[in-house]
Amino acid sequence: MAVNRRKSKAGRRILAAGAGLATVGALVAAMPAGAGQDRGDGRHGGHGHGWGRMVDVQLLSFNDLHGHLEPPTGSSGNLKRVKEDGTTEEIKGVGGAEYLATHLAQAREGNRYSITAAAGDMIGASPLLSGLFHDEPTIEALNAMKLDVSSVGNHEFDEGARELSRIQNGGCHPTEGCYEKGKRFKGAKFPYLTANVTDEKSGRPLLDPYFIWEKDGVRIGFIGVTLEGTGNIVSAEGVKGLKFGDEVEAINKYAKVLERKGVKSIVALLHEGGLPASGAYNYDCDTPGAGAGISGPIVDIAKNVTPQVDALVTGHTHQAYACTIPDPSGKPRTVTSAASFGRLYTDTTLTFDRRTKDIVRTAVSSANHVVTRDVPAHWKITSLINRWKALAAPIANRPVGYIGENIENPLDAVERPMGNLIADAQLAGLSPADKGGAQLALMNPGGVRAPLTKGETGVVTYGAAYTVQPFTNMMTTVDLTGAQLVTALQQQVSGANLAAPKILQVSKNFAYTLDMTKAGADRIVVDSVRLNGEPIDPSKSYRVAMNEFLTGGGDGFPVLATGANKLVGASDLDIFIAYLTANSSAAQPLSAPATGRITVIQ
């Protein structure tokens, strides 16, 4: 029989109550001794076929929800599909937690053995409906969706390890308290796993490294790891005292632990991903051979993770794929990702052999499915959304500007209208001499979270603006030489960003050419870099506006941390809202900024 899910929750507590302002290191040192929790769940009770030697176990998975409870709008709510004739089409209006919950419930029907797992970034960088309440609404929704287990993504650390502890274990927010009278946040009913996030001093995992699902003698182990580079892309103070280790080493280590416990069927939940050759969710990335159509960090990881692991559920890159990448022994192994924002879920069949107690790898099949909105909205999630919307309404519904058309944020584009608008707003807000004297602005692409959708009235609400810029980074202005600026452009496509380029969004007075026929730093055509139409002078100093995340060298831009004469200004959200308010009206709404600041040679 399955182990009761609630009884095991105490074993997941990582931070002692009332620890005050102690460092993470001290808090982790006070953790209960720790391995993962051996838990199961018998609630998925369809008729199934479970009493013979071979048992089909359904694994439903998704990733990078980012608190999108309401259906994502504009380009964020679309997907691309390959048609039978080889051409692609866009599927509009997909996703939304109400519909994801229904699709998952329908998929479970008739499956005696069904597990639902996630590969991180369930919370963080969330729209206002969730972000305003420190993502408590999203955790409630995931509980209602019957999520069994998730790895921790980098965005789960947006508010630091202490807040992640509260998200896991419950309790009211330390400064804002409880949001509803008489209601205390209960925390996640599912375990968050962090096999490669450890205390620097003790080496112990921050949270459970693994989880064992069991029903009727069928046992499947899950190992959860987060992005090794998390420490470079979140606030350093929030993860002080923690080490983010190598993903492969952590998975291989705990695969051996699970084997010693008699668990031979193993799935890795990995918050790192790949880049398929096509953006279509149903693209065959195994053409012409296993894993031939996918690149990025996941390829090397998958090729080095022990063959003991039977499948990898991945995320982080917001891409969709269901590939088979060869393991170290050369045998194909399933590697999946379900895009982002709840637009897809993956259905994987794991055939469990009762005699060997292992997954029959040759029988594993996997496919991504669209979360359409033509199914009934799940009543529990609808009720939850309406409850939190009522609390958020006084803030969320305040008008802050007007747009005359959708301002899109296509994630697969080098230059995005939404990114251009944000960079222009930052330049305008920080160009006055007393605000920083900025001459240009740079915006990290990962900080641009959503489009602005016109709707019927063209009104931009505070909630919509927050969804675009949910991190509330403080803005800064620093001195950088022309040579440093060029180095920053080169770091977009080299170093930490070589495998997965991060193209900065730039203000309208800045331009350059990106030559994608070349490799690494050579992709930047140095003599093409212009400010106000004039070539950049390598020895001259320029005032550059950017958020504190970039000023700290985040996203693989160490040169940006070397700027001088730093001046801190208002938050990025305040700057953005001020720009919308000052530059738009019902009579003269904003248009989408033109692209073309970055010339791309293919």
Side-chain angles (χ1 to χ4, degrees):
M1 295 295 291
V3 180
N4 184 284
R5 71 190 285 112
R6 293 189 181 276
K7 287 185 179 180
S8 66
K9 186 172 180 180
R12 303 198 302 271
R13 298 185 182 278
I14 62 170
L15 304 182
L21 297 178
T23 65
V24 170
L27 289 163
V28 175
M31 293 190 307
Q37 299 302 303
D38 292 15
R39 297 191 308 116
D41 195 340
R43 61 175 178 257
H44 306 316
H47 61 277
H49 300 285
W51 304 108
R53 173 175 165 179
M54 298 296 181
V55 178
D56 281 346
V57 179
Q58 179 188 61
L59 173 61
L60 302 175
S61 59
F62 57 99
N63 51 275
D64 295 276
L65 181 64
H66 290 289
H68 276 69
L69 298 180
E70 296 182 285
T73 61
S75 56
S76 290
N78 300 341
L79 286 170
K80 290 181 180 178
R81 173 170 55 197
V82 178
K83 297 193 294 184
E84 289 185 5
D85 63 4
T87 61
T88 61
E89 64 178 349
E90 192 164 43
I91 308 172
K92 296 186 177 182
V94 302
E98 297 162 288
Y99 306 102
L100 174 60
T102 297
H103 279 279
L104 292 174
Q106 291 179 346
R108 294 182 189 119
E109 291 177 3
N111 288 280
R112 181 178 181 84
Y113 301 91
S114 184
I115 311 166
T116 304
D121 278 6
M122 295 294 97
I123 60 173
S126 305
L128 182 134
L129 179 61
S130 185
L132 184 64
F133 305 105
H134 299 276
D135 282 313
E136 291 181 19
T138 295
I139 297 300
E140 286 189 4
L142 293 170
N143 290 342
M145 288 183 204
K146 300 181 180 179
L147 182 63
D148 288 296
V149 60
S150 178
S151 59
V152 171
N154 53 285
H155 281 284
E156 265 86 8
F157 286 102
D158 279 351
E159 296 189 49
R162 183 187 300 277
E163 176 64 4
L164 176 57
S165 170
R166 189 182 75 88
I167 288 296
Q168 176 72 92
N169 297 303
C172 298
H173 192 270
T175 58
E176 297 182 23
C178 296
Y179 295 109
E180 297 174 286
K181 187 176 181 180
K183 289 187 177 181
R184 181 181 181 275
F185 175 55
K186 296 180 180 179
K189 293 181 180 178
F190 56 92
Y192 264 123
L193 306 180
T194 60
N196 66 326
V197 184
T198 57
D199 173 49
E200 286 181 337
K201 294 181 179 178
S202 70
R204 293 164 62 189
L206 178 70
L207 287 166
D208 294 338
Y210 65 84
F211 157 76
I212 300 171
W213 183 92
E214 182 175 8
K215 182 178 181 181
D216 300 334
V218 177
R219 304 179 81 201
I220 298 180
F222 291 84
I223 302 167
V225 295
T226 193
L227 184 73
E228 182 181 6
T230 294
N232 298 322
I233 57 176
V234 299
S235 169
E237 187 61 30
V239 295
K240 187 177 181 181
L242 293 181
K243 177 183 177 181
F244 294 84
D246 181 87
E247 300 101 333
V248 172
E249 290 179 7
I251 294 171
N252 291 350
K253 173 183 177 180
Y254 286 102
K256 292 179 180 178
V257 172
L258 287 169
E259 284 263 345
R260 289 197 296 269
K261 284 179 166 284
V263 179
K264 295 182 179 181
S265 300
I266 302 172
V267 175
L269 305 176
L270 172 66
H271 194 71
E272 177 60 290
L275 302 167
S278 167
Y281 83 88
N282 60 338
Y283 163 70
D284 183 2
C285 47
D286 287 336
T287 301
I294 189 169
S295 60
I298 195 59
V299 176
D300 285 340
I301 290 173
K303 288 181 177 179
N304 287 283
V305 165
T306 173
Q308 292 172 287
V309 173
D310 299 295
L312 282 74
V313 176
T314 72
H316 186 59
T317 58
H318 290 206
Q319 301 298 305
Y321 47 85
C323 305
T324 56
I325 300 174
D327 67 15
S329 68
K331 295 179 180 179
R333 175 171 51 195
T334 295
V335 180
T336 68
S337 175
S340 61
F341 307 155
R343 294 174 293 164
L344 292 174
Y345 71 92
T346 310
D347 191 336
T348 301
T349 299
L350 303 172
T351 300
F352 181 87
D353 186 331
R354 286 187 181 276
R355 183 175 66 80
T356 66
K357 301 187 184 302
D358 204 352
I359 298 298
V360 181
R361 287 257 299 271
T362 56
V364 173
S365 62
S366 186
N368 280 320
H369 298 276
V370 179
V371 176
T372 59
R373 300 178 193 167
D374 57 358
V375 298
H378 197 289
W379 69 271
K380 283 187 178 180
I381 310 299
T382 301
S383 175
L384 180 153
I385 288 173
N386 290 338
R387 196 179 94 239
W388 287 102
K389 281 181 74 173
L391 291 173
I395 296 173
N397 296 338
R398 176 168 63 89
V400 297
Y402 298 84
I403 55 174
E405 60 184 323
N406 290 351
I407 302 179
E408 298 290 3
N409 184 46
L411 299 182
D412 56 353
V414 167
E415 184 182 350
R416 314 175 197 169
M418 194 70 247
N420 286 351
L421 179 60
I422 289 174
D424 290 348
Q426 293 176 351
L427 176 60
L430 298 181
S431 61
D434 62 338
K435 301 296 184 183
Q439 296 169 271
L440 70 145
L442 304 175
M443 176 63 193
N444 57 303
V448 187
R449 303 305 301 186
L452 285 176
T453 305
K454 180 178 180 291
E456 295 182 2
T457 64
V459 172
V460 179
T461 63
Y462 180 91
Y466 181 100
T467 297
V468 172
Q469 290 234 270
F471 295 110
T472 318
N473 279 306
M474 302 308 293
M475 288 302 302
T476 64
T477 311
V478 299
D479 288 341
L480 290 173
T481 65
Q484 288 173 314
L485 269 174
V486 170
T487 298
L489 297 180
Q490 292 172 331
Q491 287 175 349
Q492 299 176 115
V493 289
S494 64
N497 296 324
L498 179 62
K502 291 187 175 70
I503 307 302
L504 296 166
Q505 306 295 283
V506 300
S507 53
K508 58 186 175 183
N509 60 340
F510 191 69
Y512 68 95
T513 296
L514 183 65
D515 187 349
M516 297 303 289
T517 67
K518 297 183 179 178
D522 290 338
R523 288 178 166 177
I524 303 301
V525 181
V526 175
D527 60 8
S528 72
V529 184
R530 298 282 191 276
L531 179 64
N532 298 319
E534 298 294 324
I536 286 287
D537 183 341
S539 62
K540 184 178 177 180
S541 181
Y542 299 90
R543 292 291 283 168
V544 183
M546 66 188 96
N547 59 46
E548 277 197 310
F549 173 67
L550 282 177
T551 311
D555 261 358
F557 293 97
V559 71
L560 296 182
T562 64
N565 299 319
K566 176 180 174 181
L567 181 66
V568 179
S571 75
D572 54 4
L573 180 59
D574 287 343
I575 291 286
F576 183 47
I577 287 174
Y579 184 83
L580 292 172
T581 301
N583 291 277
S584 69
S585 66
Q588 293 184 306
L590 271 176
S591 297
T595 56
R597 302 171 188 188
I598 305 171
T599 301
V600 181
I601 300 174
Q602 298 285 3

